[in-house]
Amino acid sequence: MFNFDINSTEDLRFDWEREEILEILNLPLIDLMWKAQIVHRKFNTYKVQLASLFSVKTGGCTENCSYCSQSIYSSSQLKSNPLHEVEAVLKRARIAKEEGAERFCMGWAWREIRDGSAFNSMLEMVKGVRKLGMEACVTAGMLNENQALKLAEAGLTAYNHNLDTSPEFYQNIITTRTYQDRLDTLKRVRNAGINICCGGIIGLGESSQDRASLLQVLSNMNPHPESVPINALVAIEGTRLEESKEIDSIEMIRMISTARILMPKSKVRLSAGREKLSKEAQILCFQCGANSIFYGDELLTTSNPACETDRKLLKEVGVSFNKNFESKQSTLAAK
Ligand code: SAM
Ligand code: DTB
Ligand code: SF4
């Protein structure tokens, strides 16, 4: 039984059991939201981190993730697939910073990182983003020990490598790599001293048990991943999951709330799928513990709410989101 003690000063837990997690996920919504808020207020302030996302290398990936438009197994029409150069990427990072983003996430549609000029450019991009005073996150598939160390040396803040779903359901979604491959990469990232950004997707056809099982793997990592993106499937034409049924926004609220309770100090990121969430559903997610969003008109190959719309929403909610940007805006307005 999940006994919740508001006054508990208990340290973070790394031994959550699946049944216990499932019980939390399935609590009456009103109780779940209340518990998540208490945890959130106890461990965090209501500040939402704005993370901008940029696809440095789009498409042509040899993995068969059935949700992804960038896989060679999908027939999705991608807008473009150039490999962007260092300066062009840093220009995007500067624009993102001016818009108020504090973190710049860069994606490469690769199965794994290979040594060579593209990797050297990645290192330069990381250094450049850090020089701008922003957090830098990279997602580029599997990597080896040496590559992880080089990324750490370049100043990389975090490496994103999602587990997507439960170990049990994984084979239904991806068969070109194993769950263990993912865990091995995450271990190399951790050993190199880089923060882990690791989460999943809901709406792949998984059960609540699968969601609990994914959250169990994440919350039993010690330390917890510093960043936990929760994505709702964006059903993209041409992918195997294009006909998937849309999730109910309440499921997103449940997933975010449970992640917050299990991993009190992690950044829980309300990630892909926000365009399908009402303003009210997003507000409930912030209230229950989501403290980051992807900010910018585009995710990797799909669209995202406009910056202006998001700023308006966050102001309305009353959460803070990059004090420097807010004060810069008010000085400009006063002029
Ligand atoms: N190739 C790298 C990898 O898989 O780690 C990096 C890029 S990949 C697109 C990053 C993550 O985005 C995936 O692990 C997945 O969780 C998420 N993602 C991709 N396509 C998605 C979609 N259609 N809907 C929701 N999330 C998606
Ligand atoms: C994450 O968990 N979600 C982001 C980021 N990490 C790389 C990606 C979402 C991609 C959504 C589909 C697309 O735009 O292709
Ligand atoms: Fe490749 Fe990543 Fe897309 Fe999978 S999710 S196909 S690894 S780009």
Side-chain angles (χ1 to χ4, degrees), residues 62 100 129 149 177 187 201 230 235 271:
T62 53
V129 170
L149 289 172
R177 60 166 187 257
K187 199 176 210 171
I201 311 179
I230 306 290
S271 303

Side-chain angles (χ1 to χ4, degrees), residues 134-164:
M134 301 175 88
E135 292 185 4
C137 179
V138 160
T139 181
M142 295 182 262
L143 47 61
N144 65 34
E145 208 179 292
N146 197 34
Q147 291 159 344
L149 289 172
K150 282 192 170 151
L151 283 165
E153 247 174 51
L156 186 68
T157 313
Y159 195 80
N160 166 253
H161 203 62
N162 290 342
L163 286 168
D164 289 341

